[in-house]
Amino acid sequence: MTPQIALLVNPSSGRRRAAIAAVRLKEALRGAGARVHVHTGGSSADSRRMARLAASEAPDALVAVGGDGLLHQALQGVAGTGVPLGVIPAGTGNDIARAFGHPPRTARATAEAILAGRTRPSDAVRLRLADGTHRYFLSVLACGFDARVNERVNGFRFRLGRAGYVAGLLAELRSFVPIDYEIEIDGRTRIAEPGMLVAVGNTSSYGGGMQICPDADPEDGLLDVTFMRQGPLHRFLRLFPLAYTGGHTGLPEVVVERGRRVTVRGHGPGPAYADGEPMSALPLVCETAPKAVEMLDLTS
């Protein structure tokens, strides 16, 4: 039978790198004998709708060509359906692609890997928002200072990758006020004190490679929680760069926990972010969804 491949594309992602990559991949897939349907959304909500439509047609794979935000929308379509999900990184941070392995360099080799159909079952996280609705995410939920930095970076006129995240961090430090958190893990309150941020990780990184939850494993059925206590700003400035290597987890200001269900409460400014996308304000409930998505193995 002729393979059916759905491509979900954000044409503007990565300064239009995604559009170029999608055209090349489409041609390579068709050259290899596949039938390809390309879906493009004009907004996050539109991409999410397109992903659900594509998954309902039961293709052999849904492949997202763009950044972490587009992959987040694709996940809403495929979670729990058995439709394999592939990622072609063409965004700014590409943290999810980093977790699951970058595809080959050429479109032809990538097409061959997609059609080979090798998959690895991965956990996702089912997130209950403050209004009671649900979303899934694959990488990290950011609540607090890191979410505010994400929001500030999204407002920048130009995308600067990791440099942009550092610039956002320095700008946000001028006005950020620590949050009184209450964090419940598997039914027990583990943390109840002021802090700078809470990160709930299914994979290890966000912000273009920052290893905020360095031991998170998307196949172990658990969520990793990183909490940074309130402290002097000069101390925070010294320890925060350690998060790029995961070296922050041994510091006294940092608490690391692990569990299957995590509830985060607090009165912080603005929404939390998951996979780099805005969610809602607290409270939020994260629950692991074991093996909820089949990730295409595109590594050569």
Side-chain angles (χ1 to χ4, degrees), residues 67-236:
D68 290 343
L70 185 73
L71 192 64
H72 175 85
Q73 310 310 335
L75 176 65
Q76 311 315 307
V78 303
T81 68
V83 174
L85 176 60
V87 52
I88 308 300
T92 303
N94 300 318
D95 287 286
I96 297 175
R98 188 176 293 106
F100 290 99
H102 282 270
R105 288 185 175 272
T106 69
R108 180 177 178 180
T110 300
E112 290 174 354
I114 291 170
L115 297 178
R118 297 184 302 272
T119 63
R120 51 184 286 196
S122 172
D123 304 337
V125 185
R126 192 167 187 260
L127 176 66
R128 190 178 75 201
L129 305 178
D131 64 2
T133 60
H134 291 86
R135 294 276 283 276
Y136 287 93
F137 69 89
L138 266 178
S139 60
V140 180
L141 175 74
C143 308
F145 178 81
D146 45 358
R148 293 294 301 157
V149 171
N150 200 326
E151 190 160 73
R152 188 178 287 272
V153 170
N154 285 349
F156 288 171
R157 185 175 178 182
F158 299 105
R159 294 289 181 262
L160 302 172
R162 181 179 291 188
Y165 197 85
V166 173
L169 184 154
L170 294 174
E172 185 60 32
L173 272 174
R174 301 171 187 167
S175 58
F176 186 79
V177 177
I179 297 168
D180 287 325
Y181 287 106
E182 181 180 320
I183 304 169
E184 183 181 288
I185 301 174
D186 293 341
R188 295 173 54 198
T189 299
R190 301 287 184 86
I191 297 167
E193 62 178 286
M196 299 296 286
L197 65 84
V198 178
V200 182
N202 181 51
T203 60
S204 62
S205 73
Y206 62 14
M210 183 178 292
Q211 299 291 308
I212 191 68
C213 298
D215 296 321
D217 180 351
E219 297 178 9
D220 66 0
L222 295 171
L223 302 173
D224 283 31
V225 180
T226 299
F227 172 72
M228 286 193 180
R229 292 187 166 106
Q230 177 183 5
L233 288 184
H234 70 273
R235 175 67 178 167
F236 184 71

